[in-house]
């Protein structure tokens, strides 16, 4: 059973405690050292590709999945004491096969969706790529502490995650025997509660021009955020995303490359779904493999 699916509080807390050391500041630093090599490689590849043509998004996704499958198939080698190794070992102790779960985290939903969401918006709003480029200046792409201080980079990521929440109707919870009263609303016992994050994100009473991509609302136009509590891309409380700091640090590094290399849009080779930029020209989504390389 995946960690997030452990609904028994004590089981969940114990399993989460097991995972916690893998996300400590020291562990993240150690892990970053490895990942940042791939970020430099990504930046170089982007530069090369920009000269020789586009990279196909779908090929990149296939490559990414192959890398992770190969990594998981190899199993935990003693010298590989990193995040993947740690989680696989811990989950083995809990009699859980972490393979599918890790593949789930790494290859797909959250990480990939968030990377794609930001790129999707950048592709549709190239002026923000220029702005990122200017903001980056000569900031080192692998200096994750310096990247964390860049307001527009952070704002672009937050805004894209607001418009494309990874769990559009997610965070399913169920009340217990007693039900629960929130303000003056009583939710009866054993009721499943769904939070429609996508709908909330677009509400005018939460965000002015809620359906528009306006990163400046997170920086110079705070009045456009009418209810900041409506934005919780990593969820809240005891079940919130344990990997959020790592995810944000890695996303900043990947998207800094987009700004640095001023990524441009070309038509998609296999036609586009909505998130691919679809009717508006498709996209060159070169970054998925950077995410994959991270793991
Ligand atoms: C931008 C990328 C990411 C987003 C948007 C994201 C989002 C989320 C959200 C919304 C939840 C809560 C689900 C719920 O309420 O039921 C969650 C849980 C979780 N996430 Fe992430 N996540 C991201 C990246 C990561 C990464 C990189 C890792 C680990 C390497 C990770 C590991 C987890 C785990 C283990 C949980 C379950 C936590 C628990 O139940 O205690 N996530 N994530």
């Amino acid at each position: 059973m995946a960690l997030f699916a452990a609904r028994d509080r004590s089981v969940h807390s114990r399993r989460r405690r097991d995972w916690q050391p893998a996300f400590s500041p020291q562990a993240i630093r150690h892990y970053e050292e490895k990942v940042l090599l791939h970020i430099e490689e990504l930046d170089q590849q982007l530069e090369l590709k920009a000269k020789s043509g586009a990279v196909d998004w779908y090929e990149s996704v296939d490559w990414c999945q192959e890398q992770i499958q190969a990594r998981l198939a190899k199993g935990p080698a003693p010298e590989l004491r990193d995040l993947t190794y740690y989680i696989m070992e811990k989950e083995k102790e809990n009699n859980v096969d972490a393979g599918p779960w890790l593949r789930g985290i790494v290859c797909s939903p959250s990480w990939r969706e968030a990377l794609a969401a930001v790129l999707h918006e950048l592709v549709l709003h190239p002026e923000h790529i220029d702005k990122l480029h200017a903001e980056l200046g000569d900031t080192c792409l692998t200096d994750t502490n310096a990247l964390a201080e860049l307001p527009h980079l952070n704002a672009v990521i937050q805004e894209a995650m607001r418009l494309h929440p990874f769990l559009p109707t997610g965070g399913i919870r169920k009340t217990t025997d007693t039900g629960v009263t929130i303000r003056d609303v009583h939710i009866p016992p054993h009721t499943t509660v769904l939070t429609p994050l996508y709908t909330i994100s677009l509400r005018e009473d939460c965000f002015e021009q809620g359906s528009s991509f306006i990163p400046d609302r997170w920086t110079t136009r705070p009045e456009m955020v009418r209810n900041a509590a409506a934005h919780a891309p990593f969820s809240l409380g005891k079940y919130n995303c344990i990997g959020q700091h790592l995810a944000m640090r890695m996303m900043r590094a990947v998207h800094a490359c987009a700004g640095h290399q001023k990524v441009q849009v070309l038509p998609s080779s296999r036609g586009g779904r909505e998130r691919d930029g679809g009717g508006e020209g498709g996209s060159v989504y070169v970054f998925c493999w950077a995410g994959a390389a991270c793991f």
Side-chain angles (χ1 to χ4, degrees), residues 8-282:
D8 182 301
R9 281 270 175 104
S10 60
V11 173
H12 176 264
S13 307
R14 184 172 45 77
R15 297 260 310 274
R16 187 154 168 139
R17 261 200 313 277
D18 279 348
W19 279 50
Q20 213 79 52
F23 296 94
S24 69
Q26 297 95 308
I28 289 181
R29 260 199 306 280
H30 169 71
Y31 182 60
E32 267 184 3
E33 281 171 24
K34 294 178 177 189
V35 175
L36 293 175
L37 297 174
H38 298 298
I39 296 294
E40 281 173 353
E41 196 189 322
L42 169 65
D43 191 54
Q44 288 158 10
Q45 286 294 322
L46 281 180
E47 197 173 0
L48 272 177
K49 296 289 177 190
K51 289 178 188 146
S52 64
V55 179
D56 187 281
W57 161 252
Y58 297 97
E59 279 172 27
S60 306
V61 172
D62 292 345
W63 182 89
C64 147
Q65 298 209 343
E66 277 162 26
Q67 297 300 306
I68 292 160
Q69 304 276 6
R71 175 79 185 277
L72 290 170
K74 256 198 268 168
E79 70 276 14
L80 274 177
R81 293 187 177 275
D82 62 6
L83 180 80
T84 317
Y85 171 80
Y86 184 87
I87 292 173
M88 286 171 88
E89 282 299 290
K90 279 290 166 194
E91 293 297 63
K92 216 170 15 174
E93 285 169 25
N94 288 320
N95 282 326
V96 175
D97 174 11
W101 166 221
L102 280 170
R103 262 191 296 276
I105 292 179
V106 176
C107 286
S108 57
S110 57
W111 180 248
R112 190 172 67 187
E113 284 284 310
L115 282 173
V118 179
L119 285 162
H120 171 72
E121 294 300 338
L122 284 177
V123 151
L124 295 179
H125 304 277
E127 68 278 14
H128 290 288
I129 294 191
D130 295 339
K131 223 169 153 179
L132 283 184
H133 187 78
E135 183 181 63
L136 274 164
D138 54 10
T139 308
C140 175
L141 294 176
T142 55
D143 184 343
T144 44
N145 290 333
L147 295 180
E149 300 297 319
L150 298 181
H152 198 64
L153 177 60
N154 283 294
V156 160
I157 294 172
Q158 290 302 335
E159 185 65 347
M161 288 202 293
R162 181 185 70 79
L163 284 174
H164 309 280
F166 145 63
L167 295 174
T169 52
I172 297 175
R173 303 286 186 265
K174 197 169 181 182
T175 56
T176 55
D177 293 343
T178 51
V180 64
T181 302
I182 301 170
R183 296 217 176 141
D184 51 354
V185 178
H186 180 70
I187 304 170
H190 310 294
T191 306
T192 300
V193 181
L194 255 171
T195 317
L197 281 182
Y198 180 71
T199 311
I200 292 172
S201 294
L202 302 189
R203 281 175 65 133
E204 263 322 286
D205 59 349
C206 297
F207 301 100
E208 190 181 328
Q209 296 179 52
S211 47
S212 303
F213 179 72
I214 307 178
D216 295 357
R217 74 173 81 242
W218 301 107
T219 52
T220 51
R221 300 175 69 186
E223 72 285 358
M224 296 191 77
V225 179
R226 292 177 171 148
N227 184 351
H231 180 60
F234 295 104
S235 192
L236 302 165
K238 290 185 194 309
Y239 285 78
N240 76 355
C241 178
I242 199 171
Q244 59 185 285
H245 299 297
L246 176 64
M248 280 304 293
R249 290 173 84 83
M250 295 302 101
M251 280 209 295
R252 287 189 204 105
V254 171
H255 296 304
C257 293
H260 186 231
Q261 296 296 343
K262 288 194 165 192
V263 163
Q264 289 179 346
V265 189
L266 291 177
S268 166
S269 63
R270 298 188 208 171
R273 293 184 298 269
E274 196 183 324
R275 182 63 69 79
D276 298 333
E280 305 195 41

